[in-house]
Amino acid sequence: MKPVRKAVLPVAGFGTRVLPATKAVPKEMLTVFDRPALQYVVDEAREAGIEHFVFVTGRGKQAIEDYFDKAYELEATLEAKKKDAILAEVRAASLPPGASSFTRQQAALGLGHAVLCARDIIGDEPFAVLLPDVIVKGNGRSCLGQMIDAYNEVGGNIVAVDEVPQERVNQYGVIDPVTAGDPTGSGGPLVKMKGMVEKPPVAQAPSRLKITGRYILQPEVFDLLATQTPGAGGEIQLTDAMQRLMGTQDFHAFKYDGKDYDCGDKLLYLEAFAAMALANPELGAKARAVLEDVLKRK
Ligand code: G1P
């Protein structure tokens, strides 16, 4: 079984749900407490052992490329001023030489189309997809790390899922588990599926298990994406191509141990910001006091 070495990060979206904040700043670069949202996602992938990062960008996203590059002037200045702790953090944010590729999605045709743009760079090997407007905090091991552990046992294709309130199922890809009441069948995290559907009407959703934005896919998905017709919202949907892939390859859903934070929505972004502040090892306790104080005010 080929290992999962590369990850695709589709970062071309406009961030319409959080405008005007994203008018001139890529939504992936919005600060979540002390670092850009995208940094959490890249760190998750690194922890999982990903060696190469493929960013599918678009116009106006140059800040992303700069962020993961070396910042010579900044680093030299910090070094001269002996600001060693900050310097170490700045350096840790850049990616090693040759570990990143940037390609542009020229038109906003959908997530499936964005992933297809990475086809040549990925080549003929399994790969991960991480949607950067979702920060996933794994308990212990990162979400993608947990998925790669599962992949190393069962192979095939895997999507991360977790439960969402019924009234919100229409905002996500939703899976159709084989065993309704006990979706895992075994009580374990791997869920067998009959299908999946992108943004179903609330009354027609096959379950409350939404696709979280973390995927491990086999390269055969690219042939399907290349012929995929537009689906929900008139966009080329990754979910639709995965539904077709299920016809020929093993496909599991994976109930990861952790919690996701969607930074692409104003109120959920607030939740993400507060949660990352509270989870900060040095400043978490002080952040809690600040938040409690704000809540006490009229
Ligand atoms: C995308 C996917 C969807 C998934 C969601 C997770 O939707 O198409 O299947 O559930 O991300 O956040 P989007 O949020 O881009 O509309």
Side-chain angles (χ1 to χ4, degrees):
M1 188 164 31
K2 287 187 186 172
V4 181
R5 296 188 313 116
K6 297 180 183 173
V8 177
L9 295 102
V11 289
F14 290 130
T16 31
R17 288 182 296 158
V18 280
L19 279 166
T22 49
K23 191 177 166 198
V25 177
K27 64 173 172 175
E28 301 79 11
M29 297 306 289
L30 292 183
T31 309
V32 180
F33 189 51
D34 65 348
R35 61 202 63 207
L38 189 53
Q39 170 92 60
Y40 293 92
V41 181
V42 165
D43 285 348
E44 175 189 343
R46 280 170 143 177
E47 194 262 2
I50 294 298
E51 296 165 10
H52 193 102
F53 298 80
V54 184
F55 296 90
V56 181
T57 73
R59 285 177 293 283
K61 299 276 185 168
Q62 292 90 332
I64 295 175
E65 207 159 336
D66 290 341
Y67 184 82
F68 291 105
D69 196 0
K70 193 170 165 60
Y72 280 101
E73 278 184 0
L74 175 64
E75 291 180 28
T77 308
L78 292 173
E79 205 164 3
K81 292 190 172 168
K82 305 222 176 311
K83 303 222 175 223
D84 296 340
I86 306 175
L87 179 62
E89 288 206 52
V90 166
R91 284 195 172 139
S94 53
L95 287 167
S100 57
S101 300
F102 294 81
T103 185
R104 280 194 179 193
Q105 184 187 21
Q106 289 152 326
L109 299 179
L111 175 60
H113 179 259
V115 173
L116 180 60
C117 292
R119 179 179 200 158
D120 267 8
I121 304 170
I122 295 295
D124 189 25
E125 56 181 278
F127 62 101
V129 178
L130 298 99
L131 304 192
D133 41 13
V134 185
I135 295 175
V136 188
K137 221 173 156 329
N139 291 331
R141 187 128 161 85
S142 71
C143 175
L144 187 64
Q146 295 172 33
M147 291 171 73
I148 287 182
D149 291 346
Y151 171 80
N152 289 337
E153 282 180 26
V154 298
N157 302 267
I158 301 179
V159 285
V161 294
D162 60 88
E163 281 189 13
V164 70
Q166 184 76 32
E167 67 272 16
R168 284 186 29 218
V169 284
N170 57 351
Q171 297 170 24
Y172 298 98
V174 177
I175 67 149
D176 189 359
V178 168
T179 324
D182 171 19
T184 65
S186 61
L190 282 166
V191 182
K192 291 200 175 115
M193 292 182 285
K194 285 185 284 195
M196 56 179 85
V197 54
E198 183 68 16
K199 306 205 169 71
V202 170
Q204 286 160 35
S207 75
R208 291 200 293 118
L209 288 173
K210 74 159 204 284
I211 299 173
T212 305
R214 299 292 184 266
Y215 311 77
I216 292 174
L217 298 169
Q218 296 297 327
E220 286 75 20
V221 75
F222 289 124
D223 277 343
L224 301 172
L225 286 170
T227 57
Q228 188 60 54
T229 48
E235 296 188 338
I236 296 170
Q237 295 291 353
L238 180 59
T239 303
D240 294 341
M242 295 193 301
Q243 161 74 36
R244 288 163 66 208
L245 188 60
M246 278 181 67
T248 54
Q249 291 195 357
D250 276 354
F251 220 124
H252 286 94
F254 181 79
K255 287 183 101 181
Y256 66 95
D257 182 14
K259 160 108 184 81
D260 71 314
Y261 298 95
D262 184 350
C263 304
D265 168 283
K266 286 182 186 175
L267 287 173
L268 295 175
Y269 173 64
L270 173 64
E271 184 192 16
F273 199 109
M276 293 308 127
L278 293 171
N280 186 282
E282 283 97 50
L283 295 171
K286 286 184 179 161
R288 180 173 298 278
V290 169
L291 290 172
E292 281 170 357
D293 190 43
V294 170
L295 289 172
K296 271 188 231 141
R297 286 180 216 154
K298 289 228 167 115

